[in-house]
Coordinates of all heavy atoms in Angstrom, one line a residue:
R14 N 158.0 266.3 -32.6 CA 157.6 265.0 -32.9 C 157.4 264.2 -31.8 O 158.0 264.3 -30.8 CB 158.7 264.3 -33.8 CG 159.0 265.0 -35.1 CD 159.8 264.3 -36.1 NE 161.2 264.1 -35.7 CZ 162.2 263.4 -36.4 NH1 161.9 263.0 -37.6 NH2 163.4 263.3 -36.0
S15 N 156.4 263.3 -31.8 CA 155.9 262.6 -30.6 C 156.9 261.5 -30.0 O 157.2 261.4 -28.9 CB 154.5 262.0 -30.8 OG 153.6 263.0 -31.2
Y16 N 157.4 260.6 -31.1 CA 158.2 259.5 -30.5 C 159.6 259.5 -31.0 O 160.3 258.7 -30.8 CB 157.5 258.2 -31.1 CG 156.0 258.0 -30.8 CD1 155.0 258.2 -31.6 CD2 155.8 257.7 -29.5 CE1 153.6 258.2 -31.2 CE2 154.5 257.5 -29.0 CZ 153.5 257.8 -29.9 OH 152.1 257.6 -29.4
W17 N 160.0 260.7 -31.6 CA 161.3 260.9 -32.0 C 161.8 262.4 -31.5 O 161.0 263.2 -31.2 CB 161.5 260.9 -33.5 CG 161.1 259.6 -34.1 CD1 159.9 259.1 -34.5 CD2 162.0 258.5 -34.3 NE1 159.9 257.8 -35.0 CE2 161.2 257.4 -34.8 CE3 163.3 258.4 -34.0 CZ2 161.7 256.1 -35.2 CZ3 163.8 257.0 -34.3 CH2 163.1 256.0 -34.9
P18 N 163.2 262.5 -31.4 CA 163.5 263.9 -31.2 C 163.1 264.9 -32.1 O 162.9 264.6 -33.3 CB 165.0 263.8 -31.1 CG 165.5 262.4 -31.0 CD 164.3 261.6 -31.5
D19 N 162.7 266.1 -31.6 CA 162.3 267.2 -32.5 C 163.3 267.4 -33.6 O 164.4 267.3 -33.5 CB 162.0 268.4 -31.8 CG 161.0 268.3 -30.6 OD1 160.2 267.4 -30.7 OD2 160.9 269.2 -29.7
K20 N 162.7 267.7 -34.8 CA 163.5 267.9 -36.0 C 163.8 269.4 -36.3 O 162.8 270.2 -36.3 CB 162.8 267.2 -37.2 CG 163.6 267.3 -38.5 CD 162.9 266.5 -39.7 CE 163.6 266.7 -40.9 NZ 163.0 265.9 -42.0
K21 N 165.1 269.8 -36.5 CA 165.3 271.0 -37.0 C 165.1 271.2 -38.4 O 165.7 270.4 -39.2 CB 166.8 271.4 -36.6 CG 167.2 272.7 -37.0 CD 168.8 273.0 -37.1 CE 169.3 273.0 -35.7 NZ 170.8 273.3 -35.6
I22 N 164.4 272.0 -38.8 CA 163.9 272.3 -40.2 C 164.5 273.6 -40.9 O 164.3 273.9 -42.0 CB 162.4 272.2 -40.4 CG1 161.6 273.3 -39.7 CG2 161.9 270.8 -40.0 CD1 160.3 273.3 -39.9
G23 N 165.1 274.5 -40.0 CA 165.6 275.7 -40.6 C 166.5 276.2 -39.5 O 166.4 276.1 -38.3
A24 N 167.5 277.2 -40.0 CA 168.3 277.7 -39.0 C 168.9 279.1 -39.7 O 168.9 279.2 -40.9 CB 169.5 276.9 -38.5
A25 N 169.3 280.0 -38.7 CA 170.0 281.3 -39.2 C 171.0 281.7 -38.2 O 170.9 281.5 -36.9 CB 168.9 282.4 -39.4
V26 N 172.1 282.2 -38.7 CA 173.2 282.8 -37.8 C 173.5 284.2 -38.2 O 173.7 284.5 -39.3 CB 174.5 281.9 -38.0 CG1 175.6 282.6 -37.2 CG2 174.3 280.4 -37.6
I27 N 173.3 285.1 -37.2 CA 173.4 286.6 -37.5 C 174.6 287.0 -36.6 O 174.6 286.9 -35.4 CB 172.0 287.3 -37.0 CG1 170.9 286.7 -37.8 CG2 172.3 288.7 -37.3 CD1 170.8 286.8 -39.2
R28 N 175.7 287.6 -37.3 CA 176.8 288.2 -36.7 C 176.7 289.6 -36.9 O 176.8 290.2 -38.0 CB 178.1 287.6 -37.2 CG 178.2 286.1 -36.7 CD 179.6 285.5 -37.1 NE 179.8 284.2 -36.7 CZ 179.4 283.1 -37.5 NH1 178.8 283.3 -38.6 NH2 179.7 281.9 -37.0
Q29 N 176.7 290.4 -35.7 CA 176.9 291.8 -35.8 C 178.1 292.4 -35.1 O 178.4 291.9 -33.9 CB 175.6 292.5 -35.2 CG 174.2 291.9 -35.9 CD 173.0 292.5 -35.3 OE1 171.9 292.4 -35.9 NE2 173.0 293.0 -34.1
T30 N 178.7 293.3 -35.7 CA 180.0 293.9 -35.2 C 179.9 295.3 -35.1 O 179.5 296.0 -36.0 CB 181.3 293.5 -36.1 OG1 181.3 292.1 -36.1 CG2 182.5 294.0 -35.4
I31 N 180.3 295.9 -33.9 CA 180.4 297.3 -33.7 C 181.8 297.7 -33.6 O 182.6 297.1 -32.9 CB 179.6 297.8 -32.4 CG1 179.5 299.2 -32.3 CG2 180.0 297.1 -31.2 CD1 178.5 299.7 -31.2
K32 N 182.1 298.8 -34.2 CA 183.6 299.3 -34.0 C 183.5 300.9 -34.1 O 182.6 301.5 -34.9 CB 184.4 298.9 -35.3 CG 185.9 299.2 -35.2 CD 186.7 298.6 -36.3 CE 188.2 298.7 -36.0 NZ 188.7 300.1 -35.7
Y33 N 184.3 301.5 -33.3 CA 184.2 303.0 -33.1 C 185.4 303.5 -34.0 O 186.6 303.1 -34.1 CB 184.5 303.5 -31.8 CG 184.5 304.9 -31.5 CD1 183.3 305.7 -31.9 CD2 185.6 305.5 -31.1 CE1 183.3 307.0 -31.8 CE2 185.6 307.0 -30.9 CZ 184.5 307.7 -31.2 OH 184.4 309.1 -31.1
D34 N 184.9 304.4 -35.0 CA 185.9 305.2 -35.8 C 186.4 306.4 -35.1 O 185.5 307.5 -35.0 CB 185.4 305.6 -37.2 CG 186.3 306.0 -38.1 OD1 187.3 306.8 -37.7 OD2 186.2 305.7 -39.3
N35 N 187.6 306.6 -34.6 CA 188.0 307.7 -33.7 C 188.2 308.9 -34.6 O 188.2 310.0 -34.0 CB 189.2 307.3 -33.0 CG 189.5 308.4 -31.9 OD1 188.6 308.9 -31.1 ND2 190.7 308.8 -31.8
V36 N 188.5 308.7 -35.9 CA 188.7 309.9 -36.7 C 187.3 310.6 -37.1 O 187.3 311.8 -36.8 CB 189.3 309.5 -37.9 CG1 189.6 310.6 -39.0 CG2 190.8 308.8 -37.6
K37 N 186.4 309.7 -37.5 CA 185.1 310.3 -37.8 C 184.1 310.5 -36.7 O 182.9 311.0 -36.9 CB 184.4 309.4 -39.0 CG 185.2 309.3 -40.3 CD 184.4 308.4 -41.2 CE 185.2 308.2 -42.5 NZ 184.5 307.3 -43.4
K38 N 184.6 309.9 -35.6 CA 183.7 310.0 -34.4 C 182.3 309.4 -34.5 O 181.3 309.9 -34.1 CB 183.6 311.4 -34.0 CG 184.8 312.3 -33.6 CD 185.7 311.5 -32.6 CE 186.9 312.4 -32.5 NZ 187.8 311.9 -31.4
L39 N 182.5 308.2 -35.2 CA 181.0 307.4 -35.5 C 181.3 305.9 -35.0 O 182.4 305.4 -35.0 CB 180.9 307.5 -36.9 CG 180.5 308.8 -37.6 CD1 180.4 308.7 -39.1 CD2 179.1 309.4 -37.0

């Protein structure tokens, strides 16, 4: 926007988790 702060019109939050399974070796 020219005379005002830019406007947020959408958002996304992505959370990714990695964990090692020592039994299955995965």
Side-chain angles (χ1 to χ4, degrees):
R14 297 195 292 186
S15 299
Y16 303 104
W17 298 91
D19 295 347
K20 182 178 181 180
K21 183 192 293 188
I22 61 175
V26 178
I27 307 298
R28 290 187 176 89
Q29 302 182 160
T30 301
I31 186 173
K32 190 178 189 306
Y33 182 60
D34 188 326
N35 191 49
V36 176
K37 298 180 180 179
K38 306 300 181 183
L39 292 174

